[in-house]
Short mmCIF file of all heavy atoms in Angstrom, two decimals:
data_model
loop_
_atom_site.label_atom_id
_atom_site.label_comp_id
_atom_site.label_asym_id
_atom_site.label_seq_id
_atom_site.Cartn_x
_atom_site.Cartn_y
_atom_site.Cartn_z
N LEU A 131 -32.56 212.47 -57.90
CA LEU A 131 -32.08 211.54 -56.87
C LEU A 131 -33.25 210.88 -56.16
O LEU A 131 -33.26 209.66 -55.97
CB LEU A 131 -31.20 212.26 -55.86
CG LEU A 131 -30.69 211.39 -54.72
CD1 LEU A 131 -29.71 210.35 -55.22
CD2 LEU A 131 -30.05 212.24 -53.65
N PHE A 132 -34.24 211.66 -55.78
CA PHE A 132 -35.35 211.07 -55.04
C PHE A 132 -36.25 210.21 -55.93
O PHE A 132 -36.82 209.23 -55.46
CB PHE A 132 -36.13 212.14 -54.28
CG PHE A 132 -35.37 212.61 -53.08
CD1 PHE A 132 -34.88 213.89 -53.01
CD2 PHE A 132 -35.12 211.75 -52.02
CE1 PHE A 132 -34.16 214.32 -51.91
CE2 PHE A 132 -34.41 212.16 -50.91
CZ PHE A 132 -33.93 213.46 -50.86
N SER A 133 -36.35 210.52 -57.22
CA SER A 133 -37.10 209.62 -58.11
C SER A 133 -36.34 208.32 -58.30
O SER A 133 -36.94 207.24 -58.37
CB SER A 133 -37.37 210.29 -59.45
OG SER A 133 -36.17 210.55 -60.13
N LEU A 134 -35.01 208.39 -58.36
CA LEU A 134 -34.19 207.18 -58.44
C LEU A 134 -34.32 206.36 -57.16
O LEU A 134 -34.43 205.12 -57.22
CB LEU A 134 -32.74 207.55 -58.69
CG LEU A 134 -31.75 206.41 -58.84
CD1 LEU A 134 -32.06 205.60 -60.08
CD2 LEU A 134 -30.34 206.95 -58.90
N LEU A 135 -34.33 207.02 -56.03
CA LEU A 135 -34.51 206.32 -54.76
C LEU A 135 -35.84 205.58 -54.71
O LEU A 135 -35.91 204.41 -54.32
CB LEU A 135 -34.46 207.31 -53.59
CG LEU A 135 -33.11 207.72 -53.07
CD1 LEU A 135 -33.26 208.84 -52.05
CD2 LEU A 135 -32.40 206.56 -52.45
N ILE A 136 -36.89 206.25 -55.13
CA ILE A 136 -38.22 205.62 -55.12
C ILE A 136 -38.25 204.43 -56.06
O ILE A 136 -38.79 203.37 -55.72
CB ILE A 136 -39.30 206.66 -55.48
CG1 ILE A 136 -39.44 207.67 -54.34
CG2 ILE A 136 -40.64 205.98 -55.76
CD1 ILE A 136 -40.30 208.87 -54.69
N ALA A 137 -37.66 204.56 -57.24
CA ALA A 137 -37.65 203.46 -58.20
C ALA A 137 -36.86 202.27 -57.68
O ALA A 137 -37.31 201.11 -57.78
CB ALA A 137 -37.07 203.94 -59.53
N VAL A 138 -35.69 202.53 -57.13
CA VAL A 138 -34.86 201.43 -56.63
C VAL A 138 -35.52 200.76 -55.43
O VAL A 138 -35.54 199.53 -55.34
CB VAL A 138 -33.44 201.94 -56.28
CG1 VAL A 138 -32.66 200.92 -55.49
CG2 VAL A 138 -32.69 202.30 -57.55
N TYR A 139 -36.06 201.54 -54.51
CA TYR A 139 -36.73 200.95 -53.36
C TYR A 139 -37.97 200.16 -53.78
O TYR A 139 -38.28 199.14 -53.16
CB TYR A 139 -37.11 202.02 -52.34
CG TYR A 139 -35.96 202.47 -51.48
CD1 TYR A 139 -35.83 203.79 -51.09
CD2 TYR A 139 -34.99 201.59 -51.05
CE1 TYR A 139 -34.77 204.21 -50.31
CE2 TYR A 139 -33.93 201.98 -50.28
CZ TYR A 139 -33.82 203.31 -49.91
OH TYR A 139 -32.78 203.72 -49.13
N THR A 140 -38.67 200.60 -54.80
CA THR A 140 -39.83 199.86 -55.27
C THR A 140 -39.43 198.48 -55.77
O THR A 140 -40.08 197.48 -55.45
CB THR A 140 -40.53 200.64 -56.39
OG1 THR A 140 -40.93 201.92 -55.90
CG2 THR A 140 -41.75 199.90 -56.90
N VAL A 141 -38.37 198.42 -56.53
CA VAL A 141 -37.92 197.14 -57.08
C VAL A 141 -37.33 196.24 -55.99
O VAL A 141 -37.68 195.07 -55.88
CB VAL A 141 -36.90 197.37 -58.21
CG1 VAL A 141 -36.28 196.06 -58.66
CG2 VAL A 141 -37.56 198.08 -59.37
N THR A 142 -36.44 196.79 -55.18
CA THR A 142 -35.76 195.95 -54.19
C THR A 142 -36.69 195.53 -53.06
O THR A 142 -36.59 194.39 -52.58
CB THR A 142 -34.53 196.68 -53.61
OG1 THR A 142 -34.95 197.90 -53.00
CG2 THR A 142 -33.50 196.94 -54.67
N TYR A 143 -37.58 196.39 -52.63
CA TYR A 143 -38.50 196.03 -51.55
C TYR A 143 -39.44 194.91 -51.98
O TYR A 143 -39.65 193.95 -51.22
CB TYR A 143 -39.30 197.26 -51.12
CG TYR A 143 -40.18 197.05 -49.93
CD1 TYR A 143 -39.65 196.96 -48.66
CD2 TYR A 143 -41.56 196.92 -50.08
CE1 TYR A 143 -40.45 196.75 -47.55
CE2 TYR A 143 -42.37 196.71 -48.99
CZ TYR A 143 -41.82 196.64 -47.73
OH TYR A 143 -42.63 196.43 -46.64
N SER A 144 -39.95 194.99 -53.19
CA SER A 144 -40.84 193.93 -53.66
C SER A 144 -40.08 192.62 -53.85
O SER A 144 -40.61 191.54 -53.57
CB SER A 144 -41.54 194.33 -54.95
OG SER A 144 -40.60 194.49 -55.98
N GLN A 145 -38.83 192.70 -54.29
CA GLN A 145 -38.03 191.49 -54.46
C GLN A 145 -37.74 190.84 -53.11
O GLN A 145 -37.83 189.62 -52.97
CB GLN A 145 -36.71 191.83 -55.18
CG GLN A 145 -35.87 190.63 -55.50
CD GLN A 145 -36.50 189.72 -56.53
OE1 GLN A 145 -37.25 190.16 -57.37
NE2 GLN A 145 -36.19 188.45 -56.43
N GLN A 146 -37.42 191.64 -52.11
CA GLN A 146 -37.18 191.09 -50.78
C GLN A 146 -38.45 190.47 -50.20
O GLN A 146 -38.39 189.42 -49.55
CB GLN A 146 -36.65 192.17 -49.84
CG GLN A 146 -35.24 192.54 -50.09
CD GLN A 146 -34.74 193.64 -49.16
OE1 GLN A 146 -35.54 194.41 -48.62
NE2 GLN A 146 -33.45 193.72 -48.97
N ASN A 147 -39.59 191.09 -50.44
CA ASN A 147 -40.85 190.53 -49.95
C ASN A 147 -41.18 189.21 -50.64
O ASN A 147 -41.71 188.29 -50.00
CB ASN A 147 -41.99 191.52 -50.14
CG ASN A 147 -42.00 192.58 -49.07
OD1 ASN A 147 -41.39 192.41 -48.02
ND2 ASN A 147 -42.70 193.66 -49.32
N LYS A 148 -40.89 189.10 -51.93
CA LYS A 148 -41.13 187.84 -52.64
C LYS A 148 -40.27 186.72 -52.05
O LYS A 148 -40.74 185.60 -51.85
CB LYS A 148 -40.82 187.99 -54.12
CG LYS A 148 -41.85 188.75 -54.90
CD LYS A 148 -41.45 188.88 -56.35
CE LYS A 148 -42.38 189.80 -57.10
NZ LYS A 148 -41.95 190.00 -58.49
N ILE A 149 -39.01 187.01 -51.79
CA ILE A 149 -38.11 186.01 -51.22
C ILE A 149 -38.59 185.62 -49.82
O ILE A 149 -38.63 184.43 -49.47
CB ILE A 149 -36.66 186.54 -51.20
CG1 ILE A 149 -36.14 186.70 -52.62
CG2 ILE A 149 -35.76 185.61 -50.40
CD1 ILE A 149 -34.83 187.44 -52.72
N TYR A 150 -38.97 186.59 -49.02
CA TYR A 150 -39.46 186.33 -47.67
C TYR A 150 -40.74 185.49 -47.71
O TYR A 150 -40.87 184.51 -46.97
CB TYR A 150 -39.70 187.64 -46.93
CG TYR A 150 -40.21 187.46 -45.53
CD1 TYR A 150 -39.34 187.20 -44.49
CD2 TYR A 150 -41.57 187.55 -45.25
CE1 TYR A 150 -39.80 187.03 -43.20
CE2 TYR A 150 -42.04 187.37 -43.97
CZ TYR A 150 -41.15 187.12 -42.94
OH TYR A 150 -41.63 186.94 -41.68
N ASP A 151 -41.69 185.87 -48.55
CA ASP A 151 -42.96 185.14 -48.64
C ASP A 151 -42.76 183.72 -49.12
O ASP A 151 -43.41 182.79 -48.64
CB ASP A 151 -43.94 185.88 -49.56
CG ASP A 151 -44.43 187.17 -48.96
OD1 ASP A 151 -44.30 187.35 -47.72
OD2 ASP A 151 -44.93 188.03 -49.73
N LYS A 152 -41.86 183.54 -50.07
CA LYS A 152 -41.57 182.20 -50.59
C LYS A 152 -40.97 181.32 -49.49
O LYS A 152 -41.36 180.16 -49.33
CB LYS A 152 -40.61 182.30 -51.77
CG LYS A 152 -40.28 181.01 -52.43
CD LYS A 152 -39.35 181.24 -53.62
CE LYS A 152 -38.86 179.95 -54.21
NZ LYS A 152 -37.88 180.19 -55.27
N ALA A 153 -40.06 181.86 -48.71
CA ALA A 153 -39.45 181.12 -47.60
C ALA A 153 -40.48 180.84 -46.51
O ALA A 153 -40.48 179.75 -45.91
CB ALA A 153 -38.27 181.89 -47.04
N LEU A 154 -41.33 181.80 -46.24
CA LEU A 154 -42.37 181.61 -45.22
C LEU A 154 -43.34 180.51 -45.64
O LEU A 154 -43.71 179.65 -44.83
CB LEU A 154 -43.11 182.93 -45.01
CG LEU A 154 -44.01 183.04 -43.80
CD1 LEU A 154 -43.21 182.86 -42.52
CD2 LEU A 154 -44.69 184.39 -43.79
N GLU A 155 -43.72 180.51 -46.90
CA GLU A 155 -44.62 179.47 -47.41
C GLU A 155 -43.96 178.10 -47.33
O GLU A 155 -44.59 177.12 -46.94
CB GLU A 155 -45.00 179.80 -48.85
CG GLU A 155 -45.97 178.84 -49.48
CD GLU A 155 -46.31 179.26 -50.89
OE1 GLU A 155 -46.56 180.45 -51.13
OE2 GLU A 155 -46.30 178.37 -51.77
N GLU A 156 -42.69 178.04 -47.69
CA GLU A 156 -41.98 176.76 -47.64
C GLU A 156 -41.82 176.27 -46.20
O GLU A 156 -41.94 175.07 -45.94
CB GLU A 156 -40.61 176.90 -48.30
CG GLU A 156 -39.91 175.59 -48.50
CD GLU A 156 -38.65 175.72 -49.33
OE1 GLU A 156 -38.62 176.58 -50.23
OE2 GLU A 156 -37.72 174.94 -49.06
N SER A 157 -41.60 177.19 -45.27
CA SER A 157 -41.47 176.78 -43.87
C SER A 157 -42.80 176.27 -43.34
O SER A 157 -42.84 175.29 -42.59
CB SER A 157 -40.96 177.93 -43.01
OG SER A 157 -41.95 178.91 -42.82
N TYR A 158 -43.90 176.91 -43.74
CA TYR A 158 -45.21 176.42 -43.32
C TYR A 158 -45.50 175.06 -43.92
O TYR A 158 -46.04 174.18 -43.26
CB TYR A 158 -46.31 177.41 -43.72
CG TYR A 158 -46.39 178.64 -42.86
CD1 TYR A 158 -46.90 179.82 -43.37
CD2 TYR A 158 -45.98 178.64 -41.54
CE1 TYR A 158 -46.97 180.97 -42.59
CE2 TYR A 158 -46.05 179.78 -40.75
CZ TYR A 158 -46.56 180.93 -41.29
OH TYR A 158 -46.63 182.06 -40.51
N ASP A 159 -45.14 174.87 -45.19
CA ASP A 159 -45.37 173.58 -45.84
C ASP A 159 -44.59 172.47 -45.14
O ASP A 159 -45.13 171.39 -44.88
CB ASP A 159 -44.97 173.64 -47.32
CG ASP A 159 -45.93 174.48 -48.16
OD1 ASP A 159 -47.05 174.76 -47.67
OD2 ASP A 159 -45.56 174.85 -49.29
N LYS A 160 -43.34 172.73 -44.82
CA LYS A 160 -42.53 171.71 -44.16
C LYS A 160 -42.99 171.47 -42.73
O LYS A 160 -42.97 170.34 -42.25
CB LYS A 160 -41.06 172.11 -44.19
CG LYS A 160 -40.45 171.95 -45.55
CD LYS A 160 -38.97 172.18 -45.54
CE LYS A 160 -38.43 172.00 -46.95
NZ LYS A 160 -36.98 172.19 -47.00
N THR A 161 -43.44 172.51 -42.05
CA THR A 161 -43.87 172.37 -40.67
C THR A 161 -45.17 171.56 -40.60
O THR A 161 -45.29 170.63 -39.80
CB THR A 161 -44.10 173.75 -40.02
OG1 THR A 161 -42.88 174.49 -40.08
CG2 THR A 161 -44.54 173.61 -38.58
N TYR A 162 -46.13 171.92 -41.42
CA TYR A 162 -47.43 171.26 -41.36
C TYR A 162 -47.45 169.92 -42.07
O TYR A 162 -48.23 169.04 -41.70
CB TYR A 162 -48.52 172.17 -41.91
CG TYR A 162 -48.74 173.39 -41.03
CD1 TYR A 162 -48.62 174.66 -41.53
CD2 TYR A 162 -49.02 173.23 -39.68
CE1 TYR A 162 -48.80 175.78 -40.72
CE2 TYR A 162 -49.21 174.33 -38.85
CZ TYR A 162 -49.09 175.60 -39.38
OH TYR A 162 -49.26 176.68 -38.56
N SER A 163 -46.61 169.72 -43.06
CA SER A 163 -46.58 168.40 -43.72
C SER A 163 -45.86 167.38 -42.84
O SER A 163 -46.14 166.19 -42.91
CB SER A 163 -45.90 168.49 -45.09
OG SER A 163 -44.53 168.83 -44.92
N SER A 164 -44.95 167.81 -41.98
CA SER A 164 -44.26 166.89 -41.08
C SER A 164 -45.14 166.45 -39.93
O SER A 164 -44.91 165.42 -39.33
CB SER A 164 -42.97 167.51 -40.56
OG SER A 164 -43.27 168.63 -39.75
#
């Protein structure tokens, strides 16, 4: 169970960070380009 927890959290946490970073980069691009 705990190895499954670590594996799932590894995948989902990195996926959430990618989505967050992509949105943050896009918000900075729109803010500074405007």
Side-chain angles (χ1 to χ4, degrees):
L131 178 68
F132 286 113
S133 65
L134 182 65
L135 278 172
I136 291 170
V138 168
Y139 282 143
T140 301
V141 172
T142 58
Y143 185 74
S144 65
Q145 185 67 29
Q146 285 179 338
N147 281 342
K148 285 179 188 176
I149 293 170
Y150 180 82
D151 290 342
K152 183 178 173 185
L154 193 61
E155 182 179 315
E156 190 171 327
S157 73
Y158 284 153
D159 289 345
K160 287 187 180 181
T161 302
Y162 293 123
S163 65
S164 65

